[in-house]
């Protein structure tokens, strides 16, 4: 009997860990609705194995949690010592916020956690090439991990990806094409089905999905739980694109409860930009069904999705959390104020902060609560967006006269 396997999130059918069901559970999926499979574990066996001193800190990377990750053979692990990011209190807002600062990962986003696991699994399953579609952050992470794994990587960038990011993806050694987003999904299906490529794409099945990477996001939740051992958070706010990040943290807490490592979980709250907010709309109607809709244009392209996964909506309801929409203007303010607290988040990441501030202002969340905000990626990766938030500095000849004309001495 195996201690790790795959299980359908709808009908419960089980599959071998090495049988990833990229197109969803074949037993219950239909033409219009495909159900993802996810990795499950024998928690009783893990609890026995962990003993009294689980998760040694001498391993800085997320692989200190290897018992709760899908890779079987240590030799297949591809790591850049990702994870282990700080939980930093910032006081630049009217309420104290704790920022889980994922900008400090090797490619400056939480996608490193997904890809250290997913690319390690590609190696374990014997693939030699990996493909994805990206708004930027995922592509950089995939490219870096595929390179050190010795795998070929093809990254299709959607046409709003800035030059900095598509060039960064190339410097890590990946092949890049720039394609319109929704047609490119169909190409990925064909590359996976007909040409033997391994997908590095989120867990919910839209056209094609992979169940392993979300397990890497669990490690954000494990780390928050360990970092807050003496004073657990009441709320965790997270940006939602596909929804894997929020779901991963929720699953982490569920597992830690099963293992007797924490007593309760925080309320998980999902944040989206108004007009690109399928989860917020469903939450407002009390529904578990999202409606697919073309999202409005936004500079927060990392989370601009026509529909997110059902799994993150379930995590919000089951944890007693909420979903909240924020405007792009509110999010720009959050970026600026967080930066005054020393943390420069990308616009899409800062929806978690904007959402937390708004939830407190509206009275949905008590100002006395301990609030953690997940900041998923760094602002420096988006120079064009940054340039829209600050003025062009004055240029002068270096004389006192000219200096005193533009600044107060
Ligand atoms: Zn099923």
């Amino acid at each position: 009997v195996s201690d790790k396997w795959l299980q359908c999130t709808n009908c419960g059918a089980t599959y071998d860990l090495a049988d990833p069901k990229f197109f969803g559970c074949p037993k219950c999926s239909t033409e219009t609705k495909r159900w993802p499979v996810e990795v499950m574990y024998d928690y009783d066996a893990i609890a026995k194995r962990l003993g009294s001193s689980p998760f040694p800190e001498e391993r800085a990377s997320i692989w200190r949690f290897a018992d709760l990750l899908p890779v079987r053979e240590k030799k297949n692990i591809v790591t850049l010592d990702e994870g282990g990011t700080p939980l930093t209190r910032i006081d630049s807002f009217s309420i104290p916020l704790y920022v889980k600062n994922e900008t400090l990962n090797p490619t400056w986003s939480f996608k490193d956690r997904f890809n250290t696991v997913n690319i390690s699994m590609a190696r374990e399953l014997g693939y030699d090439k990996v493909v994805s579609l990206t708004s930027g952050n995922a592509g950089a992470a995939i490219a870096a991990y595929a390179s050190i794994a010795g795998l070929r990587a093809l990254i299709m960038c959607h046409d709003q990806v800035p030059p900095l990011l598509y060039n960064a993806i190339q410097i890590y050694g990946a092949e890049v094409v720039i394609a319109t987003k929704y047609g490119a999904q169909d190409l990925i299906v064909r590359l996976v089905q007909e040409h033997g490529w391994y997908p590095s794409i989120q867990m919910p099945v839209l056209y094609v999905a992979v169940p392993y990477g979300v397990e890497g996001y669990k490690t954000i939740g494990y780390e928050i739980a360990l970092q807050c051992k003496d004073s657990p958070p009441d709320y965790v706010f997270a940006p939602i694109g596909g929804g894997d990040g929020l779901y991963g943290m929720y699953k982490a807490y569920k597992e830690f409860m099963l293992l007797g490592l924490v007593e309760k979980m925080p309320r998980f709250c999902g944040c989206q930009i108004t007009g690109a907010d399928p989860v917020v709309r469903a939450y407002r109607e009390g529904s578990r069904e999202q409606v697919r809709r073309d999202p409005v244009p936004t500079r927060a392209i990392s989370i601009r999705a026509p529909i997110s996964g059902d799994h993150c909506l379930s995590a919000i309801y089951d944890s007693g959390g909420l979903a909240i929409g924020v405007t792009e203007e509110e999010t720009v303010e959050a970026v600026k104020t967080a930066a005054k607290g020393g943390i420069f988040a990308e616009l899409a990441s800062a929806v978690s902060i904007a959402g937390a501030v708004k939830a407190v202002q509206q009275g949905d969340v008590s100002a006395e609560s301990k609030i953690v905000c997940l900041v998923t990626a760094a602002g420096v990766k988006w120079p064009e967006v940054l340039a829209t938030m600050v003025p062009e500095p004055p240029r002068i000849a270096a004389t006192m006269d000219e200096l005193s004309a533009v600044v107060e001495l």
Side-chain angles (χ1 to χ4, degrees):
V1 179
S2 171
D3 63 344
K4 298 173 185 177
W5 64 92
L6 292 170
Q7 191 165 318
C8 174
T9 53
N10 179 42
C11 75
T14 58
Y15 303 97
D16 189 274
L17 183 66
D19 182 11
K21 303 293 177 209
F22 294 137
F23 299 94
C25 172
K27 290 218 172 86
C28 68
S29 296
T30 63
E31 278 294 300
T32 51
K33 182 83 179 174
R34 294 198 188 138
W35 294 93
V37 296
E38 74 172 315
V39 185
M40 298 302 285
Y41 304 80
D42 179 345
Y43 295 108
D44 289 340
I46 289 171
K48 278 187 200 124
R49 203 159 59 235
L50 289 178
S52 58
S53 59
F55 317 126
E57 283 185 56
E58 62 265 28
R59 298 200 65 174
S61 81
I62 74 163
W63 294 96
R64 66 190 279 219
F65 305 108
D67 281 307
L68 292 161
L69 296 172
V71 178
R72 289 198 188 283
E73 300 283 340
K74 262 194 177 136
K75 66 174 167 46
N76 293 322
I77 292 175
V78 182
T79 179
L80 285 167
D81 297 328
E82 56 293 310
T85 57
L87 185 71
T88 303
R89 177 179 159 137
I90 59 171
D91 290 303
S92 49
F93 292 89
S94 56
I95 44 163
L97 294 174
Y98 292 82
V99 171
K100 183 62 174 161
N101 185 359
E102 292 294 299
T103 73
L104 294 172
N105 277 299
T107 74
W108 312 283
S109 89
F110 76 145
K111 299 283 181 184
D112 291 336
R113 298 184 191 255
F114 184 105
N115 284 291
T116 182
V117 174
N118 200 43
I119 303 296
S120 296
M121 284 304 294
R123 186 143 91 170
E124 188 152 280
L125 301 181
Y127 283 86
D128 62 358
K129 51 190 180 182
V130 48
V131 65
S132 192
L133 177 61
T134 184
S135 54
N137 288 322
I142 295 162
Y145 286 87
S147 268
I148 56 174
L151 308 183
R152 201 178 144 205
L154 170 61
I155 308 296
M156 295 196 215
C157 289
H158 109 53
D159 51 13
Q160 270 185 292
V161 173
L164 183 143
L165 274 165
Y166 63 68
N167 288 329
I169 294 167
Q170 293 184 92
I171 204 82
Y172 286 122
E175 295 159 64
V176 170
V177 293
I178 298 166
T180 46
K181 189 171 186 180
Y182 302 113
Q185 283 276 14
D186 298 332
L187 294 180
I188 295 204
V189 170
R190 295 196 56 187
L191 289 172
V192 171
Q193 273 179 336
E194 299 166 21
H195 299 274
W197 290 76
Y198 177 86
S200 199
I201 277 184
Q202 63 211 12
M203 177 179 136
V205 175
L206 298 173
Y207 305 92
V208 58
V210 69
Y212 309 119
V214 68
E215 299 297 300
Y217 288 148
K218 289 191 314 190
T219 63
I220 305 171
Y222 301 150
E223 289 176 15
I224 292 173
L226 295 174
Q227 286 167 319
C228 295
K229 222 167 183 157
D230 301 324
S231 147
D234 301 302
Y235 292 87
V236 174
F237 281 77
I240 294 185
D244 272 0
L246 185 143
Y247 179 74
M249 293 190 292
Y250 161 80
K251 187 174 178 183
Y253 267 90
K254 249 172 85 173
E255 292 180 333
F256 267 22
M257 286 168 71
L258 282 170
L259 294 169
L261 297 170
V262 293
E263 279 170 18
K264 64 182 190 83
M265 68 167 69
R267 296 171 190 267
F268 287 99
C269 305
C271 309
Q272 297 185 307
I273 294 273
T274 303
D277 53 356
V279 167
V280 176
R281 281 168 192 258
Y283 174 83
R284 275 206 206 108
E285 290 161 10
S287 169
R288 284 179 187 260
E289 296 281 322
Q290 296 170 54
V291 177
R292 174 186 285 272
R293 207 182 257 108
D294 277 342
V296 297
T298 167
R299 288 172 286 170
I301 67 166
S302 304
I303 54 165
R304 185 175 179 266
I307 193 162
S308 308
D310 296 332
H311 59 341
C312 65
L313 200 49
S314 297
I316 290 168
Y317 285 127
D318 294 352
S319 68
L322 52 89
I324 188 161
V326 289
T327 64
E328 204 173 290
E329 292 68 34
E330 288 166 334
T331 310
V332 168
E333 279 314 303
V335 169
K336 290 179 173 174
T337 310
K340 285 170 188 147
I343 291 176
F344 180 21
E346 72 167 27
L347 187 64
S349 288
V351 295
S352 61
I353 296 174
V357 169
K358 193 169 187 174
V360 170
Q361 278 169 356
Q362 289 178 350
D364 297 330
V365 167
S366 149
E368 312 304 313
S369 312
K370 179 165 180 179
I371 301 172
V372 170
C373 295
L374 178 67
V375 164
T376 48
V380 288
K381 294 168 98 173
W382 306 86
E384 293 84 357
V385 177
L386 171 58
T388 65
M389 296 184 196
V390 290
E392 181 69 17
R395 284 165 199 274
I396 59 163
T399 65
M400 278 310 257
D401 279 353
E402 290 208 14
L403 184 63
S404 64
V406 293
V407 298
E408 195 179 329
L409 302 183

